[in-house]
Each structure stands twice: as structure tokens, then as C-alpha cells.
């Protein structure tokens, strides 16, 4: 699942390619907007809020926002006119065409065309955005502590606490902080430090598509525990553990080192 830094980079990609451009053609391949047409509109900008993308389009007196979310498999690609699409056409959910570029949103989890005045309805529930201009450590920590008994990993994944952390960073943050993912968030020593590290991790990765938390960009060396189950821990050699954790129906693979991250007594 794409994390906040990937979404941030995607917003920049779309912003650079489309902002200031007039849309020659638009194609919304989702049932609720199948007849929508923004052609003739001018793209103002694309911004990210946590893992949400907001592409703003002015068309005459109309002020539209295209709200998209990558969810599990989604991606936006910017192509030159006539360039071959990198993913199957039937997975395209939105196509925005300008004289210079075609932006195609593939397998997007959310595609919603809304009045710009209603943006808060789709992103207003989010906690402080780790890569947003209003990033606020104190507010994020206070949100996390609203439910002190909740497992720390689950609390970090809850976008209403702080926005931008996905499965990779949740696992890596628990490892670097030496806490078991199931530790109640209220019992995490130095929670402020963990949250500051979250910001630092996303910030360090926000300008490239490859994510690393170890500082090593080689494919098999990028993470401490994420997707390293059964491999030796980079610190102590204990095999990394994996288990499905989280609320029923929304459980995800959780990775940790049983020695470096003992379950609290
Ligand atoms: Zn270890």
C-alpha cells in the first residue's frame, strides 16, 4: 500500500505535469461520474493530504476538486501524447488529457468529483499531515493518546490520529523505537520521539519513489523488519516474526523482531 511519501511525490508529479494546463479531454471510468466532463477546464494544482490527492480544476465559474486515493494498488502515471500506457487500459479509472501530457489514474481506490467547497468532507477527518505545511507533533501525540490501550501499530495506521503512515513505516517505526507492535500506545516510552521519527522517515523519502529506513537503497537492504519475515534481524540475528494483526477484517501483516521488540510484561 502506498504510504504518505509516495502520495506526496505523486501529487508533485501531477502538479508539475498538469498545473496551468487546459484539459482537452477527461474520462472518468467510474459509474458515479461516467458522464462527467471537465474538458475546457484549467488545472489549478494537485495537493496531497495524508494519503489523499486533491486535483483542483477551474471551469468557468465552477470550482471542482478531483479527489483520488491510491488505496492498495493504485497509481497515477504521466505520459507524453501517444506514449504507451504502462498498465492495462481496463484498470484506468481517470484519464486527464492536456496538449502536453496525459495523466492516467490506474486502479484508484477512490475517484470522486466534488465541489471544492466540500473538500473538508473528504479530508477533514484526517489528523496532522506528516508532510503537510501544518505538521504538528503535539497534536499528533495527543491524538494517539486518546485511546491509550490501543496497540501502537494500529494507532499509527489510523489516519485520524496522524496522516501518512502505512504498513511499512508502522513496522519500521516500532522496530526503531524498540517497541512490540502490540504495545498499548499509552505505554510507549518516548512517544514524542517515535512521532518525530515518523516525520523524519517520510520527509527523507518524499523526493524519491524508492523507500528506505535503513539508509541503504539496495533492494533487499531497505528495511529493518518490513517484509523480512524469517530473515535474521539486522541488529541481533533473531529471525524476524510476522503475524496478521489489527481489527477484524482490516488486519494486515505485522513484522517485528521478538528479541529487539519484546512484548511488554
Ligand atoms: Zn533484533
Amino acid at each position: 500500500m502506498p504510504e504518505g511519501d509516495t502520495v506526496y511525490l505523486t501529487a508533485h508529479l501531477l502538479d508539475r505535469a498538469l498545473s496551468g494546463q487546459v484539459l482537452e479531454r477527461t474520462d472518468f471510468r467510474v459509474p458515479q461520474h461516467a458522464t462527467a466532463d471537465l474538458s475546457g477546464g484549467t488545472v489549478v494544482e494537485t495537493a496531497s493530504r495524508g494519503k489523499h490527492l486533491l486535483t483542483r480544476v477551474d471551469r468557468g465559474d465552477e470550482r471542482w476538486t478531483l479527489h483520488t486515493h491510491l488505496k492498495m494498488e493504485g497509481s497515477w502515471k504521466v505520459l507524453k501524447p501517444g506514449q504507451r500506457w504502462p498498465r492495462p487500459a481496463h484498470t484506468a479509472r481517470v484519464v486527464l488529457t492536456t496538449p502536453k501530457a496525459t495523466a492516467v489514474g490506474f486502479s484508484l481506490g477512490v475517484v470522486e468529483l466534488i465541489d471544492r467547497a466540500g473538500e473538508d468532507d473528504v479530508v477533514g477527518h484526517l489528523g496532522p499531515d506528516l508532510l503537510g505545511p501544518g505538521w504538528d507533533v503535539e497534536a499528533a501525540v495527543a491524538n494517539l493518546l486518546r485511546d491509550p490501550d490501543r496497540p501502537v501499530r494500529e494507532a499509527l495506521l489510523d489516519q485520524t490520529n496522524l496522516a501518512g503512515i502505512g504498513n511499512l513505516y508502522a513496522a519500521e517505526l516500532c522496530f526503531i523505537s524498540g517497541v512490540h507492535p502490540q504495545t498499548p500506545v499509552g505505554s510507549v516510552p518516548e512517544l514524542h520521539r517515535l512521532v518525530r521519527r515518523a516525520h523524519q522517515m517520510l520527509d527523507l523519502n518524499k523526493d524519491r519513489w524508492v523507500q528506505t529506513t535503513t539508509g541503504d537503497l539496495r533492494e533487499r537492504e531497505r528495511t529493518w523488519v518490513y517484509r523480512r519475515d524469517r530473515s535474521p534481524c539486522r541488529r541481533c540475528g533473531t529471525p524476524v516474526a510476522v503475524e496478521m494483526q489489527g481489527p477484524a477484517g482490516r488486519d494486515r501483516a505485522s513484522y517485528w523482531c521478538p528479541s529487539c521488540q519484546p512484548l511488554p510484561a
Side-chain angles (χ1 to χ4, degrees):
M1 175 182 254
E3 317 246 345
D5 53 350
T6 299
V7 178
Y8 175 94
L9 196 51
T10 301
H12 274 251
L13 173 81
L14 292 174
D15 197 51
R16 269 200 311 273
L18 302 177
S19 296
Q21 300 287 311
V22 174
L23 294 166
E24 283 184 335
R25 216 167 42 250
T26 64
D27 190 0
F28 298 90
R29 301 182 182 180
V30 291
Q32 72 273 30
H33 298 307
T35 59
D37 181 6
L38 292 185
S39 61
T42 301
V43 181
V44 181
E45 62 186 339
T46 298
S48 60
R49 290 285 175 277
K51 297 200 249 176
H52 299 252
L53 289 158
L54 303 171
T55 301
R56 299 172 180 131
V57 179
D58 287 354
R59 188 168 181 258
D61 294 338
E62 303 162 9
R63 300 285 175 267
W64 293 101
T65 294
L66 171 60
H67 168 225
T68 58
H69 194 297
L70 307 178
K71 294 275 175 171
M72 301 303 279
E73 304 285 330
S75 67
W76 274 99
K77 302 288 180 199
V78 172
L79 309 163
K80 294 194 181 79
Q83 192 183 340
R84 193 186 158 87
W85 290 8
R87 289 175 69 170
H90 70 86
T91 65
R93 294 292 169 267
V94 186
V95 186
L96 304 175
T97 309
T98 75
K100 286 187 178 169
T102 300
V104 188
F106 294 99
S107 304
L108 301 173
V110 173
V111 175
E112 235 184 341
L113 202 51
I114 58 170
D115 192 302
R116 198 171 308 154
E119 282 186 3
D120 254 10
D121 296 341
V122 295
V123 292
H125 66 290
L126 298 173
D129 181 353
L130 281 149
L131 294 176
W135 167 240
D136 183 340
V137 180
E138 297 301 327
V141 169
N143 289 345
L144 286 165
L145 292 174
R146 276 183 305 203
D147 185 356
D149 295 331
R150 200 167 180 198
V152 56
R153 174 176 160 280
E154 207 181 298
L156 289 169
L157 288 170
D158 183 339
Q159 306 296 302
T160 66
N161 286 332
L162 70 178
I165 294 178
N167 219 21
L168 182 152
Y169 289 122
E172 298 293 284
L173 283 163
C174 289
F175 176 83
I176 285 178
S177 303
V179 296
H180 190 283
Q182 296 287 61
T183 307
V185 65
S187 307
V188 171
E190 304 190 85
L191 187 60
H192 274 85
R193 195 163 173 215
L194 186 153
V195 171
R196 278 198 300 272
R197 278 168 163 164
H199 174 252
Q200 201 176 26
M201 265 189 192
L202 267 76
D203 194 60
L204 282 169
N205 283 297
K206 75 181 190 316
D207 297 319
R208 57 172 178 242
W209 295 105
V210 170
Q211 296 161 317
T212 177
T213 57
T214 58
D216 194 325
L217 288 168
R218 286 174 296 172
E219 194 172 348
R220 305 180 74 85
E221 309 296 331
R222 290 173 195 160
T223 62
W224 294 100
V225 290
Y226 180 71
R227 289 195 175 158
R228 292 196 66 246
D229 41 308
R230 292 189 296 275
S231 298
C233 169
R234 297 192 195 283
R235 278 196 184 143
C236 75
T238 304
V240 170
V242 62
E243 187 181 277
M244 297 302 278
Q245 291 169 356
R250 292 175 53 207
D251 50 338
R252 311 267 308 276
S254 174
Y255 304 85
W256 76 99
C257 169
S259 300
C260 295
Q261 301 165 265
L263 196 61

